[in-house]
C-alpha cells in the first residue's frame, strides 16, 4: 500500500431489496448500525473510513468506490451473501491488492464458503475487527478508545441509535440468534455512556437491542435510568426499544420506562394464532394481544408497534384474511410495521425442521429467503396462494381501508400521544405499505428498471439484475456471480449449500 497516506477502509452493509429496487430506502427505521460500530475500531489518525449501506444509500454501483479501498469490510443479513460476494469481486477487480473481510450472520451461518471467498472471516461480534486490523496493518491502526462513528451516519433525520445489550435470552425457532446460540449480555454503563456521547444531540433515540428487557431486572432498570438521565438533560426528546412479550407481565415496567422518556415500544406479536406461535417456540408471545398491549402502552403515553408473520404452511388464506380484517376494523389496534412470511433462515431450528420435513420448495436460492416470496410449500394450491400473497404484502385492493385505519388510529389515541407520536402513527403504515417511489441516482434507477418482475414464488422467480456483472470482468470472477442454491430441483439441500456451511454447528442432530 502507498506510504504517506491514510489507509482506506470501505465498510459495506450488503442488501438485496426484496422489491427489487436499487434506490435508497432512507425513511426506514432502524438503520443498519453495525458498519458504524465497526468504523469506530479504526484509528482516525491512520485510517480514512467510508460506509456504504445498500439499504440506506441504495445499491453500490460506482466504479470509483470499488477502486478506492485498501480494505473492504462486508456485513449484512444471511440472505445477502451473494451480494457480498459480488461486491468483493468488484473490489478485487478494480483494486487487486484489497483485503476483504466478512462478518456478522453471514459468516456465522456459512463459515466454509466465507473462508474460501474472503481473506478474513469473523464469526464473533464487532470487537473481533480489532484483531483483523492488527493482522492487516499493525496495532497503531486500531483505535485505542473505540466509539461508534455516528458522525458518518449523516443525514440521520434526527434519529440516534444505541445498543445496550447483545443477543437474546429466548430461542424463537425462526431467529438467527437461536441458531448462533450466543449468550445474552448487557453492555457496561461505560459502554452505553460512550455511545451516547458519540451520538450527540438527537431528536429521538432508537435502542437497537434484540431484547431490551432481558432476564436481569437490575441491569434492565439501570439501563432505563441511564437513558432517562440523558433524556432529562435534553439530549433527545424521547426513545424507543424492542421488548419481548414477558415484559408486559409486569405493569411497573411500562411505568418505569415512561418516567424515563420512553415514547415507543416494539414487540414481536408475530401471529394472532397461539398454535402458530407454539411452533415458533415463541412462548413469551402467547399472551401478546396487540389490542391489550396498545391500550396498556397508551395509558403511559407510549405508542405500541409490532411485527406480524404469516405462514401459509400452517394457515389458510381464510385464516390469514380474518386476522388482517380483524385489525383493519378496529381503530384501537395499529397496523403492523412489519408484515412478512416466515423465513427459514439458514442455521436456525426452523430451517433444520423445514429441511427435514421436506417443506422447502425446489430451486430455492439463499437470496430468495427475504420474507417476501414463498420458499416453503403452502397448505393450499400455489395458484391461489401466490396472487393473495402478492396483494397482501402491499395491501393492494384495500389502500382506502389502510388509509382510513391509519388516520382513525392516530385520532383515537391523540390525547394519550404527543403530536410527534400521532403524526408517526398516521404516516408510518402509509409509508410502509404504499409503493416505494424508487428515487435514487440515475444509475440506480436504471438498474431497478432492468429488474425482472417479482413473482412472489421462489420456483418461478428469475435472477435479479445484480447477477449480471456491471463491468467487463475476467473469467475467473464468473463464479462470484453464481447464486448459492439451497435446494435442488427435487427440493433437497444441495451439495453446494452443505459444503458452504461446513463448520457451522448443526441443529439437526
Amino acid at each position: 500500500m502507498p506510504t504517506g497516506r491514510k489507509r482506506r477502509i470501505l465498510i459495506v452493509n450488503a442488501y438485496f431489496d426484496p422489491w427489487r429496487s436499487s434506490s435508497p430506502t432512507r425513511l426506514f427505521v432502524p438503520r443498519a448500525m453495525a458498519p458504524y460500530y465497526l468504523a469506530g475500531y479504526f484509528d482516525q489518525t491512520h485510517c480514512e473510513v467510508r460506509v456504504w449501506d445498500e439499504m440506506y444509500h441504495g445499491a453500490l454501483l460506482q466504479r470509483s468506490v470499488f477502486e478506492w479501498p485498501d480494505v473492504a469490510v462486508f456485513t449484512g443479513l444471511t440472505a445477502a451473501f451473494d451480494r457480498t460476494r459480488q461486491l468483493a469481486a468488484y473490489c478485487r477487480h478494480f483494486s487487486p491488492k484489497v483485503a476483504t473481510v466478512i462478518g456478522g450472520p453471514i459468516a456465522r451461518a456459512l463459515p466454509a464458503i466465507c473462508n474460501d471467498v474472503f481473506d478474513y472471516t469473523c464469526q464473533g461480534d464487532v470487537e473481533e475487527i480489532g484483531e483483523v486490523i492488527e493482522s492487516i496493518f499493525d496495532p497503531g491502526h486500531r483505535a485505542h478508545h473505540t466509539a461508534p462513528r455516528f458522525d458518518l451516519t449523516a443525514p440521520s433525520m434526527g434519529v440516534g441509535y444505541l445498543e445496550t445489550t447483545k443477543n437474546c435470552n429466548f430461542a424463537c425457532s425462526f431467529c438467527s440468534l437461536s441458531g448462533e446460540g450466543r449468550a445474552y449480555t448487557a453492555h457496561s454503563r461505560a459502554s452505553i455512556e460512550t455511545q451516547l456521547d458519540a451520538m450527540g444531540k438527537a431528536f429521538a433515540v432508537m435502542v437497537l437491542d434484540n431484547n431490551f428487557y432481558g432476564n436481569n431486572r437490575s441491569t434492565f432498570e439501570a439501563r432505563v435510568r441511564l437513558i432517562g438521565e440523558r433524556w432529562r438533560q435534553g439530549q433527545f426528546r424521547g426513545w424507543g426499544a424492542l421488548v419481548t412479550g414477558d415484559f408486559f407481565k409486569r405493569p411497573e415496567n411500562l411505568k418505569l420506562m415512561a418516567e424515563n422518556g420512553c415514547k415507543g415500544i416494539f414487540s414481536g406479536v408475530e401471529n394472532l394464532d397461539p398454535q402458530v406461535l407454539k411452533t415458533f417456540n415463541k412462548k413469551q408471545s402467547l399472551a401478546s394481544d396487540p389490542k391489550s398491549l396498545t391500550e396498556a402502552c397508551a395509558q403511559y403515553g407510549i405508542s405500541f408497534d409490532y411485527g406480524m408473520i404469516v405462514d401459509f404452511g400452517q394457515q389458510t388464506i381464510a385464516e390469514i384474511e380474518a386476522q388482517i380484517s380483524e385489525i383493519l376494523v378496529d381503530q384501537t389496534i395499529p397496523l403492523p410495521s412489519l408484515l412478512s412470511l416466515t423465513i427459514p433462515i439458514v442455521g436456525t431450528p426452523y430451517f433444520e425442521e423445514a429441511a427435514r420435513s421436506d417443506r422447502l420448495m425446489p430451486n430455492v436460492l439463499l437470496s430468495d429467503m427475504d420474507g417476501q416470496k414463498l420458499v416453503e410449500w403452502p397448505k393450499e394450491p400455489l395458484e391461489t396462494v401466490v396472487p393473495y400473497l402478492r396483494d397482501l404484502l402491499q395491501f393492494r385492493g384495500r389502500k382506502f381501508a389502510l388509509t382510513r385505519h391509519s388516520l382513525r388510529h392516530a385520532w383515537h389515541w391523540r390525547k394519550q400521544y404527543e403530536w410527534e407520536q400521532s403524526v408517526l402513527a398516521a404516516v408510518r403504515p402509509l409509508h410502509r405499505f404504499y409503493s416505494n417511489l424508487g428515487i435514487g441516482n440515475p444509475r440506480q434507477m436504471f438498474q431497478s428498471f432492468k429488474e425482472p418482475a417479482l413473482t412472489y414464488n421462489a420456483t418461478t422467480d428469475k435472477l435479479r439484475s445484480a447477477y449480471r456483472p456491471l463491468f467487463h470482468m475476467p473469467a475467473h470472477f464468473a463464479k462470484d456471480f453464481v447464486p448459492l442454491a439451497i435446494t435442488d430441483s427435487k427440493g433437497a439441500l444441495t451439495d453446494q449449500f452443505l459444503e458452504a456451511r461446513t463448520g457451522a454447528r448443526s441443529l439437526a442432530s
Side-chain angles (χ1 to χ4, degrees), residues 74 76 78 81 102-112 114-115 118 120-124 180 500 504:
F74 301 97
T78 309
F81 166 75
I102 185 74
I106 296 172
R108 291 188 283 269
L110 304 167
C114 286
N115 287 336
F118 301 92
Y120 296 86
T121 301
C122 301
Q123 295 191 27
E180 294 169 3

Side-chain angles (χ1 to χ4, degrees), residues 40-326:
Y41 283 83
F42 291 88
D43 182 82
Q44 295 186 50
T45 304
H46 299 96
C47 302
E48 180 183 356
V49 180
R50 290 186 185 178
V51 171
W52 192 287
D53 175 1
E54 287 202 298
M55 184 173 187
Y56 185 81
H57 299 109
L60 176 51
L61 308 174
Q62 291 93 321
R63 172 174 174 167
S64 60
V65 178
F66 298 126
E67 293 174 334
W68 181 79
D70 300 314
V71 176
V73 182
F74 301 97
T75 186
L77 298 177
T78 309
F81 166 75
D82 286 348
R83 185 58 180 161
T84 62
R85 186 169 191 171
Q86 295 166 6
L87 296 171
Y90 290 135
C91 287
R92 285 189 170 121
H93 175 52
F94 291 114
S95 184
K97 294 183 179 180
V98 69
T100 58
V101 185
I102 185 74
I106 296 172
R108 291 188 283 269
L110 304 167
I113 195 168
C114 286
N115 287 336
D116 290 340
V117 173
F118 301 92
D119 298 310
Y120 296 86
T121 301
C122 301
Q123 295 191 27
D125 291 319
V126 293
E127 292 85 355
E128 192 175 343
I129 195 66
E131 300 174 26
V132 175
I133 295 169
E134 293 187 8
S135 176
I136 297 175
F137 303 125
D138 57 57
H141 289 75
R142 179 177 181 173
H144 295 294
H145 303 287
T146 60
R149 291 291 306 277
F150 292 136
D151 57 300
L152 299 175
T153 66
S156 62
M157 298 179 295
V159 180
Y161 294 94
L162 175 70
E163 181 182 81
T164 74
T165 66
K166 294 181 180 181
N167 308 316
C168 184
N169 55 299
F170 287 100
C172 303
S173 64
F174 56 77
C175 181
S176 61
L177 295 174
S178 301
E180 294 169 3
R182 296 181 297 158
Y184 179 77
T185 57
H187 282 274
S188 66
R189 181 183 179 93
S191 172
I192 299 172
E193 292 269 19
T194 297
Q195 295 178 62
L196 288 165
D197 290 341
M199 181 191 308
K201 195 171 181 63
F203 178 75
V205 171
M206 178 69 189
V207 181
L208 296 168
D209 301 13
N210 296 289
N211 180 6
F212 181 73
Y213 184 49
N215 54 5
N216 186 313
R217 182 153 192 86
S218 62
T219 64
F220 162 70
E221 292 179 351
R223 287 181 281 113
V224 171
R225 292 192 172 98
L226 175 54
I227 298 172
E229 289 175 14
R230 295 300 186 100
W231 169 68
R232 280 183 282 274
Q233 292 169 13
Q235 185 175 350
F236 41 84
R237 288 177 56 87
W239 57 281
L242 184 153
V243 299
T244 44
D246 57 324
F247 167 88
F248 297 99
K249 294 179 180 179
R250 301 183 65 163
E252 62 268 29
N253 291 337
L254 281 168
K255 182 175 184 292
L256 175 66
M257 291 188 47
E259 290 174 345
N260 286 276
C262 180
K263 304 298 181 183
I265 285 177
F266 180 97
S267 190
V269 170
E270 314 303 12
N271 200 283
L272 303 184
D273 186 339
Q275 288 303 120
V276 175
L277 292 174
K278 288 178 181 178
T279 65
F280 293 163
N281 194 34
K282 204 166 181 64
K283 296 173 287 187
Q284 69 275 20
S285 294
L286 290 176
S288 294
D289 166 42
K291 182 179 179 69
S292 60
L293 296 186
T294 302
E295 292 172 349
C297 289
Q299 292 178 22
Y300 293 94
I302 297 174
S303 57
F304 177 71
D305 204 358
Y306 65 103
M308 279 192 69
I309 295 174
V310 296
D311 192 326
F312 288 98
Q314 299 186 71
Q315 298 173 282
T316 64
I317 290 175
E319 290 168 341
I320 294 170
E321 182 66 16
Q323 290 189 3
I324 299 299
S325 297
E326 179 183 344

Side-chain angles (χ1 to χ4, degrees), residues 460-478:
T460 59
D461 249 357
K462 295 181 179 179
L463 280 180
R464 61 184 76 205
S465 60
Y467 288 96
R468 297 188 297 274
L470 294 167
F471 314 97
H472 177 71
M473 307 276 283
H476 66 270
F477 285 113

Side-chain angles (χ1 to χ4, degrees), residues 360-365 368 375 377 458-460 487-492:
L360 297 178
M361 298 170 75
N363 302 315
V364 171
L365 306 179
D368 288 328
V375 296
W377 289 110
T459 65
T460 59
T487 59
D488 60 21
S489 60
K490 296 181 179 180

